Amino acid sequence: QVQLVESGGGLVQPGGSLRLSCAASGSIYRLNAMAWYRQAPGKERELVAHITDGGTTNYADSVKGRFTISRDNAKNTGYLQMNSLKPEDTAVYYCNAPDLETIDYVLGNYWGQGTLVTVSS
């Protein structure tokens, strides 16, 4: 069994920063890529950032230059550093491991439970 657990969300003022963490645990053979998505009230879930197991990154245009995705492969943990936050960044942020390989060599798409980020004065 595999779990992704996010942490680090909360209330922050516009212009502030937060760092989200995503810890993967369980029967993991290889984590492979990781990603962060977000879903604002009344909107569809959208991709925020993606990182390959080799460290190649991609970002949504709306967060380029403000957010940084990273990972610690030894800890099976991913991070999303969010700077210069805006009210429109308010959303539930989800961690995703789209092609995680278990110890049974089975590929699966795994999601965390989400963590709420609220940007407001």
Side-chain angles (χ1 to χ4, degrees):
Q1 197 165 358
V2 173
Q3 278 192 316
L4 301 183
V5 178
E6 301 103 334
S7 61
L11 173 64
V12 63
Q13 291 188 341
S17 297
L18 282 176
R19 188 194 196 205
L20 305 182
S21 298
C22 172
S25 63
S27 306
I28 299 169
Y29 175 70
R30 185 177 291 132
L31 188 53
N32 292 320
M34 296 185 76
W36 287 93
Y37 285 75
R38 67 186 180 187
Q39 187 166 17
K43 295 188 176 181
E44 293 189 353
R45 192 174 297 190
E46 64 173 354
L47 177 65
V48 175
H50 177 276
I51 185 168
T52 68
D53 54 356
T56 300
T57 59
N58 283 291
Y59 298 92
D61 287 343
S62 59
V63 306
K64 280 181 182 177
R66 300 188 298 122
F67 290 11
T68 302
I69 189 171
S70 62
R71 61 190 293 161
D72 184 335
N73 290 333
K75 297 180 179 179
N76 280 340
T77 299
Y79 305 96
L80 185 68
Q81 177 67 42
M82 305 185 294
N83 298 329
S84 302
L85 282 161
K86 305 175 181 180
E88 51 264 43
D89 294 318
T90 295
V92 177
Y93 284 71
Y94 297 91
C95 176
N96 172 238
D99 52 358
L100 186 150
E101 188 172 2
T102 68
I103 59 174
D104 298 324
Y105 307 112
V106 176
L107 287 175
N109 184 15
Y110 294 88
W111 292 88
Q113 81 287 353
T115 185
L116 177 62
V117 172
T118 303
V119 185
S120 175
S121 54

